[in-house]
């Protein structure tokens, strides 16, 4: 039951949110800033107002725990992200949608795809006519016409058409990875086709399934996390995290699985007294998903070393536990990712990039290029990790918003109560080392995608560091204990929700005036 004090807080929040959006609406009508006059922009602003009011009143009025507060914020704001940033506006989302659609077609019995010889792994897949028509309207750089198309175009349901009835095709290059990373989207697209939904409805239903899987994985990880719950929740709510969560990108599955695994492994290490045989399944699932997405992130399985041997019944069972996970992980890598690195070991006529041999042939040169790369792209890594470069990196958000997001993360990384992070010094050091290991692996991957002779390694984006961001912040944070009486969790969640709302409004304006 809501208390009288909570009702007063809700009233204050209602008045503040109403005043802010009232000022924005007046600004729009006067034509001075952000929004151009028009009913379309007004409708979107009203939608923002309703969504913001919903999550802010929910957090303040009901004293939601961190995990449930995250759930409320994520459901509302991921939904808004879905519509403000149209499909394929995430880098490489078009090929991810193509892969998802292809696997769905194979599940529903579509004809086998045809690979085009002499191309960059391009293939032709069977598609319904309305889906092929939709494909031609997917623009990487959306504008106002993109909004209007998804509002009005291709919205009619096909009559009496079953999966596989279409004679149209879609052609695109393929990533040649397994279906595990796209499983939620595959289920969503397959359901839409079984129900005979339109191409637009199918596209969004698959995206919503990807988002639902992300939210569920993050929620489970945050709920199980024994400390730093707000820090883990904020990382999952970073604007770039939600941007990826509202897409077909396998980074959505990768990030959700990473947050789930971090929460579970610290729960095993700090709270659960005895581990049973079935507790190995989260580790097996994590290894399977991470190896299917991006193989370098299987290093996160190394967090198993944080679990004390006594919780598994002694050193013998502990060694067997680690051995079983290691064998499974190696098998998953061989099954899902061996083709990703095979072409880079030795240079070929087609491959003029750096190869792994460069590291051993010129180790000092490799180290210097890594340092030059970090220095040259330091600002880009920072902003693109937190949400300063949305879309295909072309939606640049104001700097004060990005620093606001970073400040919230810093505050969350301070131990304000008695829940000091990583009580064991080895745990701190190991968390930081895993972050550095994956950071270095990202640079090696960037080297393999860079033309030989270039002074720096291009291709790394800040979003690649999100899955391991909680580790470095927990390893370096949590030392101070002011023991304040205040509960900052709600304030931190409200702050991140506010940053997301401001960035979404800015992103909408950038797209709508193109």
């Amino acid at each position: 039951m809501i208390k009288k004090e909570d009702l007063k807080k809700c009233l204050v929040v209602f008045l503040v949110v109403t005043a802010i959006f009232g000022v924005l609406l007046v600004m729009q009508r006067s034509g001075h800033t952000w929004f151009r006059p028009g009913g379309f922009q007004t409708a979107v602003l009203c939608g923002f107002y309703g969504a913001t009011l919903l999550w802010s009143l929910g957090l303040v009025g009901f004293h939601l725990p961190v995990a449930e507060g995250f759930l409320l914020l994520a459901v509302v704001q991921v939904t808004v992200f879905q519509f403000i940033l149209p499909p394929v506006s995430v880098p490489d989302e078009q090929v991810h949608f193509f892969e998802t659609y292809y696997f769905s077609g194979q599940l529903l019995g579509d004809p086998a795809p045809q690979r085009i010889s002499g191309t960059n792994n391009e293939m032709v897949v069977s598609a319904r006519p309305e889906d092929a028509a939709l494909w031609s309207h997917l623009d990487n750089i959306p504008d106002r016409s993109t909004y209007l198309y998804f509002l009005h175009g291709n919205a009619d349901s096909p009559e009496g058409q079953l999966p596989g009835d279409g004679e149209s095709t879609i052609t695109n290059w393929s990533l040649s990875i397994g279906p595990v990373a796209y499983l939620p989207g595959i289920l969503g697209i397959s359901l839409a086709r079984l129900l005979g939904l339109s191409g637009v409805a199918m596209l969004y239903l698959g995206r919503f399934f990807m988002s639902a899987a992300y939210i569920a994985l993050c929620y489970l990880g945050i709920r199980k996390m024994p400390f730093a719950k707000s820090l883990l929740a904020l990382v999952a709510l970073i604007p770039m995290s939600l941007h990826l969560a509202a897409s077909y990108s396998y980074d959505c599955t990768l990030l959700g699985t990473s947050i789930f695994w971090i929460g579970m492994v610290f729960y095993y290490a700090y709270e659960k007294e005895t581990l049973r045989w079935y507790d190995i399944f989260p580790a097996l699932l994590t290894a399977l998903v991470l190896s299917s997405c991006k193989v370098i992130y299987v290093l996160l399985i190394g967090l198993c070393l944080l679990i004390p041997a006594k919780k598994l019944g002694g050193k013998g069972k502990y060694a067997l536990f680690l051995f079983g996970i290691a064998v499974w992980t190696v098998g998953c890598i061989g099954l899902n990712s061996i083709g990703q690195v095979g072409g880079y070991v030795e240079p070929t006529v087609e491959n003029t990039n750096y190869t792994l041999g460069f590291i051993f042939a010129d180790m000092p040169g490799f180290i210097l290029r890594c340092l030059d790369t970090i220095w040259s792209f330091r600002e880009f890594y920072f902003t693109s990790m937190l949400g300063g470069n949305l879309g295909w990196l072309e939606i640049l958000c104001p700097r004060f918003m990005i620093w606001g997001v970073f400040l919230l993360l810093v505050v969350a990384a301070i131990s304000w109560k008695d829940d000091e992070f990583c009580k064991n010094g080895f745990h701190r050091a190991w968390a930081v080392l895993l972050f550095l290991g994956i950071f270095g692996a990202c640079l090696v991957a960037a080297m393999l995608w860079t033309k030989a002779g270039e002074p720096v390694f291009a291709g790394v984006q800040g979003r690649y560091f999100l899955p391991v961001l909680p580790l470095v912040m927990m390893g370096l944070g949590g030392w101070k204990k002011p023991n304040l009486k205040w509960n900052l969790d709600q304030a931190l969640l409200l702050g991140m929700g506010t940053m997301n709302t401001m960035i979404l409004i800015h992103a909408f304006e950038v797209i709508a005036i193109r």
Side-chain angles (χ1 to χ4, degrees):
M1 186 175 182
I2 301 179
K3 300 179 181 179
K4 185 177 180 179
E5 294 77 10
D6 297 331
L7 288 176
K8 291 180 180 179
K9 293 178 182 178
C10 288
L11 179 60
V12 171
V13 169
F14 174 79
L15 294 175
V16 169
V17 173
T18 303
I20 292 173
F21 280 89
V23 170
L24 291 176
L25 193 59
V26 170
M27 290 171 133
Q28 176 205 6
R29 288 301 181 186
S30 62
H32 288 310
T33 186
W34 282 0
F35 294 95
R36 298 185 304 171
F40 182 56
Q41 286 87 343
T42 303
V44 172
L45 186 61
C46 290
F48 269 116
Y49 168 70
T52 305
L53 193 62
L54 173 64
W55 60 254
S56 57
L57 292 180
L59 287 175
V60 171
F62 294 95
H63 292 290
L64 294 176
V66 175
E68 283 68 27
F70 160 80
L71 190 61
L72 171 64
L73 265 176
V75 168
V76 174
Q77 295 202 317
V78 165
T79 303
V80 180
F81 262 93
Q82 290 275 8
F83 295 106
I84 295 302
L85 292 156
V88 309
S89 58
V90 171
D92 297 325
E93 188 182 359
Q94 189 171 33
V95 69
H96 295 304
F97 169 63
F98 178 80
E99 293 286 319
T100 310
Y101 189 89
Y102 153 65
F103 285 121
S104 170
Q106 296 305 292
L107 180 65
L108 297 177
D110 281 356
Q114 299 177 359
R115 297 201 177 267
I116 305 176
S117 60
T119 63
N120 184 21
N121 203 25
E122 289 189 5
M123 66 180 182
V124 181
V125 301
S126 176
R128 302 182 304 173
E130 63 272 16
D131 298 340
L134 170 70
W135 181 262
S136 65
H137 287 85
L138 298 180
D139 297 322
N140 293 338
I141 309 298
D143 55 22
R144 184 182 179 88
S145 66
T146 308
Y147 285 145
L148 297 177
Y149 172 76
F150 283 113
L151 279 173
H152 306 294
N154 196 25
D156 297 328
S157 298
E159 296 188 7
Q161 184 157 4
L162 297 175
D165 285 352
E167 297 180 355
S168 299
T169 59
I170 297 175
T171 303
N172 201 71
W173 64 279
S174 173
L175 289 174
S176 297
I177 65 174
V180 175
Y182 304 112
L183 185 58
I186 293 170
L187 296 177
I189 288 179
S190 300
L191 177 62
R193 294 180 63 182
L194 287 171
L195 295 175
L197 301 183
S198 69
V200 170
M202 175 207 68
L203 181 65
Y204 273 102
L205 187 61
R207 266 181 138 213
F208 276 116
F209 269 59
M210 292 290 289
S211 298
Y214 173 83
I215 293 171
L217 287 168
C218 291
Y219 171 74
L220 291 173
I222 295 166
R223 188 172 182 178
K224 288 294 185 180
M225 190 72 178
F227 54 84
K229 288 179 180 286
S230 59
L231 175 60
L232 203 60
L234 291 189
V235 172
L237 290 169
I238 285 175
M240 180 56 72
S241 298
L242 296 186
H243 186 29
L244 297 172
S247 75
Y248 281 99
S249 174
Y250 56 32
D251 286 325
C252 166
T253 312
L254 169 66
L255 181 56
T257 303
S258 299
I259 291 176
F260 163 76
W261 172 239
I262 290 172
M264 288 299 300
V265 79
F266 278 102
Y267 167 69
Y268 288 163
Y270 281 77
E271 280 196 356
K272 191 162 187 177
E273 295 182 1
T274 304
L275 269 64
R276 304 299 181 184
W277 64 269
Y278 49 78
D279 288 319
I280 196 175
F281 286 109
L284 301 182
L285 175 64
T286 299
L288 176 63
V289 174
L290 296 185
S291 64
S292 178
C293 297
K294 293 180 180 177
V295 64
I296 60 177
Y297 292 96
V298 297
L299 291 175
L300 281 173
I301 299 299
L303 287 172
C304 288
L305 294 178
L306 303 184
I307 302 174
K310 63 180 181 180
K311 294 195 174 188
L312 285 150
K315 294 182 179 180
K317 292 183 179 180
Y318 182 63
L320 183 61
F321 172 78
L322 294 180
F323 178 75
I325 291 177
V327 171
W328 171 264
T329 302
V330 172
C332 289
I333 294 173
L335 179 66
N336 294 314
S337 305
I338 195 66
Q340 296 181 22
V341 297
Y344 298 114
V345 178
E346 293 293 338
T348 64
V349 175
E350 296 81 9
N351 178 24
T352 60
N353 299 342
Y354 285 105
T355 65
L356 295 177
F358 171 74
I359 300 177
F360 305 104
D362 187 9
M363 180 63 72
F366 169 73
I367 295 175
L368 287 176
R369 278 176 170 80
C370 285
L371 295 176
D372 288 341
T373 299
I374 296 171
W375 180 255
S376 300
F377 293 102
R378 63 191 185 282
E379 184 177 357
F380 173 71
Y381 292 162
F382 177 77
T383 57
S384 62
M385 177 179 65
L386 300 181
N389 304 76
L390 297 179
W392 278 66
L393 308 178
E394 91 285 358
I395 301 176
L396 305 179
C397 299
R399 187 62 57 86
F400 78 91
M401 296 181 186
I402 305 308
W403 280 105
V405 172
F406 180 68
L407 179 61
L408 290 169
L409 291 173
V410 171
V411 173
I414 299 174
S415 181
W416 295 98
K417 296 178 289 185
D418 290 327
D419 59 342
E420 183 182 355
F421 305 170
C422 298
K423 300 178 178 63
N424 187 310
F426 167 71
H427 291 186
R428 285 183 177 275
W430 188 238
V432 175
L433 282 175
L434 283 177
F435 169 82
L436 293 175
I438 292 178
F439 188 100
C442 287
L443 292 178
V444 172
M447 177 195 75
L448 301 177
W449 283 95
T450 304
K451 296 296 181 183
E454 293 292 327
V456 295
F457 305 139
V460 175
Q461 299 177 24
R463 61 190 170 97
Y464 299 164
F465 308 130
L466 285 173
V468 289
L469 180 61
L471 294 183
V472 69
M473 299 202 74
M474 286 188 293
L476 300 179
W479 294 98
K480 297 182 179 179
K481 295 201 302 180
N483 288 320
L484 298 180
K485 296 180 180 180
W486 316 325
N487 184 350
L488 294 181
D489 293 338
Q490 286 186 349
L492 291 171
L493 290 174
L494 282 168
M496 188 61 77
T498 302
M499 291 296 105
N500 279 318
T501 299
M502 295 171 66
I503 286 176
L504 279 166
I505 291 175
H506 174 76
F508 168 74
E509 175 61 9
V510 170
I511 296 173
I513 64 175
R514 283 173 176 166

